[in-house]
């Protein structure tokens, strides 16, 4: 392992790295426990991850491998719409755009900025296959569609929460366009809650090791 920063020793790096991976594993465990959909609970069709402030993947849990490829793409697409300089604590971003990140429309990506004393440290991300996002067939995943508009509701990069306040209009649109709105809305709330807890735990690592050391560890994890 080659280190850029030299602001910490190998032992400290390993401790930080394992802490972040443990956070991702806990995110996965929590998501399975609190979501309603069997696609998430039983099939484990989801992924949990932490990225750096540029959206580069730092750590992930065991989940659906294809989703991990979508996390950096999702963060990049969301940052293109909402630049990092415009984000504030309490913001939560989401999309299911298959052209920029998700595999198909049921895969909803929710990304939460991680702040420490107003300093953007990275993002907590969850990708989950939701049991229905509308479209011509129940479950929103069929082989007989001929265009994306038949598959379900398309969510461009948007803010689900803004400075801690939920975007009720977005949730109303989602609920109006899916067949089991209570289940879908609940599982979206679960993704948001899991992200928030993970963001708090990464911020606690900043408190313990300082933001500069954590950023150095993130940079070295990319090597």
């Amino acid at each position: 392992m080659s280190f850029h920063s030299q602001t910490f020793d190998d032992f400290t790096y390993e401790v930080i790295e394992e802490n972040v991976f443990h956070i991702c594993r806990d995110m996965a465990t929590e998501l399975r426990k609190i979501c309603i959909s069997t696609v998430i609970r039983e099939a484990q069709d989801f992924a949990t991850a932490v990225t750096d402030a540029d959206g580069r993947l730092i750590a992930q849990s065991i989940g659906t491998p294809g989703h991990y490829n979508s996390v950096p793409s999702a963060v990049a697409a969301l940052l293109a719409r909402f630049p990092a300089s415009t984000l504030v604590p309490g913001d939560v971003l989401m999309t299911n755009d298959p052209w920029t990140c998700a595999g198909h429309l049921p895969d909803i990506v929710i990304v939460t900025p991680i702040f420490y004393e107003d300093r953007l440290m990275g993002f907590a991300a969850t990708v989950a296959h939701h049991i229905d996002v509308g479209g011509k067939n129940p479950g929103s995943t069929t082989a007989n569609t001929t265009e994306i508009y038949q598959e379900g509701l398309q969510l461009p990069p948007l803010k689900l929460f803004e400075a801690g306040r939920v975007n009720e209009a977005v949730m109303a649109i989602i609920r109006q366009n899916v067949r089991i709105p209570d289940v879908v809305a609940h599982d979206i709330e679960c993704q948001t809650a899991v992200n928030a807890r993970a963001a708090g735990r990464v911020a606690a690592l900043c408190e313990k090791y300082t933001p500069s050391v954590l950023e150095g560890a993130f940079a070295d994890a990319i090597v």
Side-chain angles (χ1 to χ4, degrees):
M1 176 68 69
S2 173
F3 293 95
H4 311 285
S5 55
Q6 300 299 324
T7 57
F8 48 85
D9 57 28
D10 291 10
F11 180 80
T12 301
Y13 170 81
E14 292 295 337
V15 170
I16 292 173
E17 180 186 48
E18 183 55 34
N19 266 275
V20 179
F21 271 101
H22 187 67
I23 289 169
C24 292
R25 289 191 290 267
D26 278 356
M27 291 171 72
T29 300
E30 292 160 2
L31 201 63
R32 286 190 64 195
K33 284 182 177 179
I34 62 179
C35 283
I36 295 175
S37 166
T38 53
V39 180
I40 299 172
R41 290 177 62 90
E42 304 300 331
Q44 300 182 54
D45 195 346
F46 66 84
T48 61
V50 170
T51 79
D52 69 2
D54 294 324
R56 298 179 299 178
L57 190 65
I58 300 300
Q60 75 282 327
S61 66
I62 297 174
T64 303
H67 287 323
Y68 293 115
N69 294 326
S70 73
V71 170
S73 299
V75 177
L78 291 165
L79 287 175
R81 175 65 180 85
F82 303 102
S85 61
T86 69
L87 299 176
V88 299
D91 284 350
V92 178
L93 313 178
M94 75 181 302
T95 185
N96 71 341
D97 181 2
W99 305 111
T100 59
C101 58
H104 53 174
L105 295 181
D107 294 337
I108 296 179
V109 182
I110 296 182
V111 174
T112 301
I114 301 170
F115 282 94
Y116 178 73
E117 296 181 347
D118 295 327
R119 182 171 177 173
L120 181 64
M121 298 300 303
F123 298 91
T126 52
V127 188
H129 180 133
H130 287 259
I131 200 165
D132 188 86
V133 290
K136 66 189 292 286
N137 296 305
S140 311
T141 305
T142 55
N144 63 349
T145 55
T146 59
E147 57 181 1
I148 193 170
Y149 305 101
Q150 298 172 352
E151 294 182 358
L153 179 64
Q154 298 181 66
L155 300 168
L158 51 82
K159 282 190 178 182
L160 178 60
F161 280 76
E162 188 161 5
R165 173 175 286 187
V166 65
N167 189 332
E168 297 288 359
V170 168
M171 289 306 303
I173 290 170
I174 293 172
R175 294 181 68 92
Q176 188 72 22
N177 283 276
V178 303
R179 293 174 176 83
I180 40 177
D182 289 344
V183 173
V184 174
H186 173 87
D187 288 352
I188 288 173
E189 292 171 3
C190 290
Q191 284 183 257
T192 305
V194 166
N195 282 5
R197 187 162 186 259
R201 293 177 66 185
V202 174
L205 291 177
C206 291
E207 179 73 23
K208 183 174 183 179
Y209 294 102
T210 77
S212 296
V213 167
L214 207 67
E215 287 173 341
F218 284 180
D220 290 340
I222 301 300
V223 175

